[in-house]
Amino acid sequence: MPESATLPPPLYPGLKLTALAPMQDVTDWRFMRIIADYGSPDYFFTEYFRVYANSSVDKNILRSITENSTGCPVFAQMIGESIPDLVRIAKDLNQYPVAGIDLNMGCPAPKIYRKNVGGGLLRDPEKIHRILGSLRESIDGLLTVKMRIGFEDTANFEHILDLINLHKIDLLSLHGRTVKEKYHSAVHYDLIAHATQQVNCPVLANGNVTSATTAGIVLENTGAAGVMIGRAAIRNPWIFKQIRESFSGKPVSKVTLAEVRDYIERLRLTPIAPTLPEKMRANYMKKYLNFIGQSVDGAGAFLREMRLAQSESDILGICDRYLLTFPDREFALEPYPGVVARPNCETTPELVAN
Ligand SMILES: Cc1cc2nc3c(=O)[nH]c(=O)nc-3n(C[C@H](O)[C@H](O)[C@H](O)COP(=O)(O)O)c2cc1C
């Protein structure tokens, strides 16, 4: 059996780990680059590579590995259930400079879990046993898992944690919700705390870590080795830097609305955006602004106006009005209460990748 490697060291030894959560149609190589410029997390994860009979490695997703200019490790995430194909694609991915291979056992989209992949696997520990065993046996290097606490309930949780140990998984990213709880319920941090006690590998606590303050609270309550952050990093790409400041006992940097306007411009200028037709360019911007808008104004007026806009230029006009009228005003560290991103899950508009 190949020996497992050791995890890449954190950027700042002694501080807890941070990771950008994988997000389909968001965390491509361009977005990772932007995030790294505002203060990189320790680890990145790719969007999931779909694995099935005769599947090949998706070339666009592969770019987040081959064109990774963040200077930080990238784990390649796979979703699938066919063991020979998972092994085949994991070996292919291992030809590239990946930090490790990650298995998705959490995706809550019905079209995914109905195929018994992603979160669907959590219903079948026996299958998980065979998948992890085969991957561990046949691939070199780090093998990591990202999962939820269960499918409908947590009946299989203990058993799956035992499998994480049995197959010597190197890192567990744990979203503290069941598949059926999707993205909206309270996060069961108590079960993340339980997992950190049960498993032999480091655990990244995931779910609703919205700021440096909540990162500190979640780490204290769970004892996890670090935090994995998704939606809050789209809203506030400075979050990883702010967490490091807070963990080192320094004041957390404030961000002005003008700086947020610059971030939006960077998103707009990612190479994909100018090549899209107008309607799609507007949707492309809305995908990010949906989250950013949660910290712009407490009444949610920015989000309401932005959602009604039909063109990119209308959207940018709204951004200018809300962000550059009082450019020195602070961008809220937390989302304003009641100002919600809609949708705030994996239902982003289909985009044509170039
Ligand atoms: C738009 C979007 C796409 C996502 N795509 C993936 C994915 O490809 N793989 C995965 O494991 N999780 C995916 N997730 C789940 C996130 O990685 C994360 O577990 C979840 O958003 C909870 O963390 P948060 O509260 O910090 O956002 C996605 C989430 C969102 C919002």
Side-chain angles (χ1 to χ4, degrees):
M1 181 190 289
E3 280 297 303
S4 116
T6 48
L7 285 173
L11 282 172
Y12 295 87
L15 294 188
K16 295 265 188 173
L17 289 167
T18 56
L20 178 66
M23 289 181 284
Q24 199 189 15
D25 289 334
V26 176
T27 52
D28 59 11
W29 62 277
R30 308 168 180 91
F31 187 75
M32 289 181 186
R33 171 76 256 169
I34 293 175
I35 288 284
D37 287 346
Y38 287 110
S40 189
D42 296 300
Y43 300 157
F44 289 92
F45 289 73
T46 67
E47 306 161 68
Y48 55 69
F49 289 92
R50 286 170 204 258
V51 179
Y52 48 88
N54 302 321
S55 63
S56 50
V57 168
D58 182 296
K59 293 208 164 35
N60 276 307
I61 301 179
L62 189 62
R63 291 178 74 181
S64 45
I65 298 162
T66 55
E67 296 178 39
N68 171 20
S69 58
T70 64
C72 289
V74 181
F75 290 81
Q77 188 184 71
M78 305 189 298
I79 196 166
E81 55 89 34
S82 157
I83 293 174
D85 293 298
L86 284 166
V87 168
R88 176 176 60 81
I89 294 293
K91 284 185 172 170
D92 284 354
L93 289 169
N94 257 348
Q95 305 299 312
Y96 297 95
V98 296
I101 301 293
D102 187 65
L103 182 69
N104 179 317
M105 302 205 303
C107 183
K111 67 173 192 229
I112 297 287
Y113 75 63
R114 284 196 197 113
K115 294 181 189 148
N116 288 328
V117 307
L121 280 176
L122 297 171
R123 293 177 291 199
D124 191 352
E126 172 54 27
K127 185 75 192 258
I128 293 175
H129 175 47
R130 284 187 283 124
I131 292 177
L132 294 182
S134 302
L135 285 172
R136 178 47 96 203
E137 206 154 276
S138 46
I139 61 164
D140 289 319
L142 297 172
L143 177 61
T144 65
V145 165
K146 177 165 182 285
M147 68 178 211
R148 291 183 177 236
I149 54 176
F151 185 79
E152 206 134 17
D153 55 38
T154 54
N156 292 332
F157 191 45
E158 285 307 318
H159 189 168
I160 296 171
L161 294 180
D162 288 343
L163 296 174
I164 297 291
N165 284 338
L166 181 68
H167 297 295
K168 300 190 167 47
I169 296 307
D170 295 293
L171 177 73
L172 174 64
S173 306
L174 188 57
H175 183 179
R177 292 185 173 99
T178 64
V179 168
K180 288 294 170 138
E181 286 174 330
K182 296 183 181 163
Y183 290 90
H184 311 293
S185 73
V187 180
H188 303 276
Y189 295 115
D190 55 331
L191 292 180
I192 300 181
H194 176 70
T196 64
Q197 295 294 314
Q198 291 302 112
V199 299
N200 301 325
C201 65
V203 174
L204 296 180
N206 175 234
N208 286 15
V209 176
T210 50
S211 64
T213 305
T214 53
I217 295 168
V218 165
L219 287 171
E220 200 172 308
N221 289 343
T222 60
V227 285
M228 171 180 265
I229 301 178
R231 292 164 293 179
I234 307 176
R235 178 176 51 82
N236 169 16
W238 295 267
I239 194 166
F240 298 108
K241 175 177 142 202
Q242 290 170 335
I243 287 175
R244 268 196 289 273
E245 288 168 343
S246 164
F247 290 179
S248 334
K250 296 186 189 138
V252 167
S253 307
K254 306 268 188 249
V255 175
T256 64
L257 294 184
E259 288 173 295
V260 174
R261 182 65 186 84
D262 286 344
Y263 164 50
I264 293 169
E265 191 60 8
R266 284 205 65 182
L267 293 169
R268 187 177 82 83
L269 293 176
T270 52
I272 192 175
T275 65
L276 294 172
E278 177 59 40
K279 177 80 184 151
M280 283 182 124
R281 275 214 309 276
N283 284 342
Y284 180 81
M285 292 311 295
K286 286 183 183 184
K287 175 171 70 168
Y288 303 100
L289 294 174
N290 183 35
F291 295 100
I292 297 170
Q294 290 180 285
S295 285
V296 171
D297 70 295
F302 169 83
L303 274 185
R304 271 195 302 279
E305 279 193 46
M306 181 283 288
R307 282 180 187 136
L308 291 174
Q310 295 295 320
S311 68
E312 188 189 62
S313 59
D314 285 352
I315 290 175
L316 295 175
I318 295 166
C319 290
D320 287 347
R321 198 151 33 80
Y322 277 87
L323 300 171
L324 298 182
T325 305
F326 300 102
D328 296 330
R329 209 171 255 178
E330 270 175 36
F331 184 61
L333 290 174
E334 297 281 358
Y336 283 108
V339 181
V340 289
R342 241 181 279 122
N344 66 356
C345 54
E346 289 156 273
T347 52
T348 51
E350 285 292 315
L351 287 168
V352 182
N354 64 358

